[in-house]
Each structure stands twice: as structure tokens, then as C-alpha cells.
């Protein structure tokens, strides 16, 4: 009986050790094929995708803003050029007005220097290169100045006072000068 008890204990110990070994073996091999990092990887990919979309949207809006800024600067530069050209034509007009004022107070016998000044202003107007917008006003101003200069030259060559025809020519010259100013106004909007 001792023998059978010992044999039984031995068999029981061997069975228990065998079972314990089997359980260890089962625990060592994973049964699940679920990737624990799959959700984290999917979240990272989603974040990267959204960041790329946001970066693209920012780059697009930056490019649009840059294009709009370039267009705005081009318009400002064009307007600045037009404003300067208008100011230059008006400056020529003011020179002419100054010579006309001098002509109104100069005796006929001393009129030659005034005619020289008229010719000088006329030459400046002829040589002036403004903007496309001011060209029409410059041409109209030149026509008025030319007519005024020619009329004063005619007055100098005459032996008497100004004739009604001369006064009409000077009125027409003044009309051209006023039209020139109106044409300049159209350039400055």
C-alpha cells in the first residue's frame, strides 16, 4: 500500500506538472490577433491628413492674399503715377496763368519778354510726357496755350488796341484751358 500510495502520488505529481506545463504553454502563445496600436496609428494618420489639408488651405489663402496685395500695389502705383502726371499738367497750367497775369499788366512796348515766357511754357507743355490719362488734357492745354500765344503775338504786331476777333480768340483759348482742367479731373477718381 505504501507502494501504491507512492505510485499514485508520483502519477498525480506528474499529471499536475504536465497540466501546469500545458497551461504555461497556452499562456505563452497569444490567442488574439488584434493590434493594440492600430487605433493609435489610425488616429495619427487622421491627424496628419487634417494637418496637410489645413496647410494646403493656409497656403492657398496666403497665395490669394499675396495676389490681391500685388494687384492693390499695382493700382496704387498706377494711381500715384496718374496723380503725379495730373499735378505736373496743373503745374504747367499755373505757369501759363502766371504769364497771362504778367501779360495783363505789361505795356505793349515791353511785351517781348512776356512773349518769350509764353513760348517757354508752350515748349514745356509740348515736351511733357505724362500718363495715358493726362495726354488728352495736355493736348487741350497745348491748344489753348498756342492759341493764346498766337493771339498775343498778333496783338503785338498790330498798331492799335485789341480787336474783337482777338478777344474772341482769347475767349476760345480760355475755353480750351477750362476743358483741359475737366479732362484732368477725369484722371483723378
Amino acid at each position: 500500500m505504501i507502494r501504491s500510495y507512492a505510485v499514485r502520488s508520483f502519477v498525480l505529481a506528474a499529471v499536475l506538472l504536465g497540466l501546469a506545463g500545458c497551461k504555461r504553454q497556452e499562456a505563452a502563445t497569444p490567442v488574439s490577433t488584434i493590434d493594440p496600436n492600430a487605433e493609435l496609428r489610425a488616429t495619427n494618420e487622421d491627424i496628419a491628413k487634417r494637418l496637410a489639408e489645413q496647410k494646403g488651405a493656409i497656403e492657398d489663402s496666403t497665395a490669394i492674399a499675396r495676389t490681391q496685395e500685388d494687384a492693390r500695389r499695382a493700382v496704387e502705383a498706377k494711381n500715384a503715377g496718374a496723380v503725379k502726371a495730373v499735378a505736373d499738367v496743373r503745374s504747367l497750367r499755373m505757369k501759363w496763368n502766371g504769364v497771362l497775369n504778367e501779360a495783363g499788366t505789361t505795356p505793349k512796348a515791353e511785351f517781348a519778354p512776356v512773349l518769350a515766357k509764353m513760348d517757354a511754357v508752350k515748349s514745356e507743355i509740348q515736351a511733357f510726357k505724362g500718363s495715358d490719362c493726362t495726354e488728352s488734357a495736355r493736348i487741350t492745354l497745348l491748344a489753348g496755350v498756342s492759341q493764346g500765344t498766337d493771339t498775343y503775338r498778333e496783338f503785338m504786331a498790330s498798331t492799335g488796341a485789341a480787336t474783337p476777333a482777338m478777344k474772341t480768340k482769347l475767349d476760345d483759348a480760355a475755353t480750351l484751358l477750362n476743358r483741359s482742367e475737366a479732362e484732368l479731373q477725369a484722371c483723378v477718381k
Side-chain angles (χ1 to χ4, degrees):
M1 173 156 142
I2 293 184
R3 214 179 198 196
S4 96
Y5 178 71
V7 172
R8 275 193 216 158
S9 291
F10 181 71
V11 171
L12 183 60
V15 169
L16 285 175
L17 278 175
L19 286 175
C22 287
K23 286 183 182 177
R24 276 189 222 147
Q25 210 174 19
E26 288 175 11
T29 58
V31 176
S32 174
T33 59
I34 298 174
D35 184 2
N37 293 324
E39 186 177 330
L40 181 60
R41 243 189 321 275
T43 302
N44 286 343
E45 289 172 0
D46 187 44
I47 290 171
K49 181 181 173 183
R50 281 191 252 151
L51 286 174
E53 289 171 355
Q54 289 174 352
K55 181 181 176 188
I58 290 171
E59 288 173 351
D60 289 347
S61 67
T62 301
I64 290 169
R66 191 175 302 121
T67 301
Q68 290 172 340
E69 180 64 16
D70 290 347
R72 184 189 64 77
R73 286 183 181 165
V75 167
E76 284 181 359
K78 182 180 177 185
N79 287 343
V83 168
K84 182 181 179 333
V86 166
D88 291 344
V89 172
R90 284 185 174 148
S91 174
L92 292 169
R93 166 84 187 268
M94 294 304 291
K95 282 184 182 183
W96 176 251
N97 287 346
V99 173
L100 284 180
N101 288 338
E102 188 177 342
T105 60
T106 303
K108 189 175 184 178
E110 300 169 17
F111 209 76
V114 175
L115 274 177
K117 288 179 185 179
M118 287 180 172
D119 286 332
V121 172
K122 181 179 172 182
S123 293
E124 278 188 68
I125 296 169
Q126 285 172 327
F128 178 75
K129 301 290 184 219
S131 68
D132 291 341
C133 187
T134 60
E135 184 60 16
S136 177
R138 182 194 70 85
I139 290 170
T140 305
L141 177 63
L142 182 60
V145 168
S146 294
Q147 187 165 343
T149 303
D150 292 345
T151 305
Y152 276 104
R153 190 168 266 109
E154 183 183 331
F155 172 67
M156 285 293 300
S158 71
T159 57
T163 65
M166 288 180 198
K167 290 178 184 178
T168 301
K169 287 180 183 178
L170 288 177
D171 287 342
D172 291 345
T175 300
L176 288 169
L177 296 175
N178 290 335
R179 186 180 321 149
S180 171
E181 180 60 30
E183 290 169 351
L184 286 177
Q185 285 294 87
C187 292
V188 184
K189 298 172 185 165

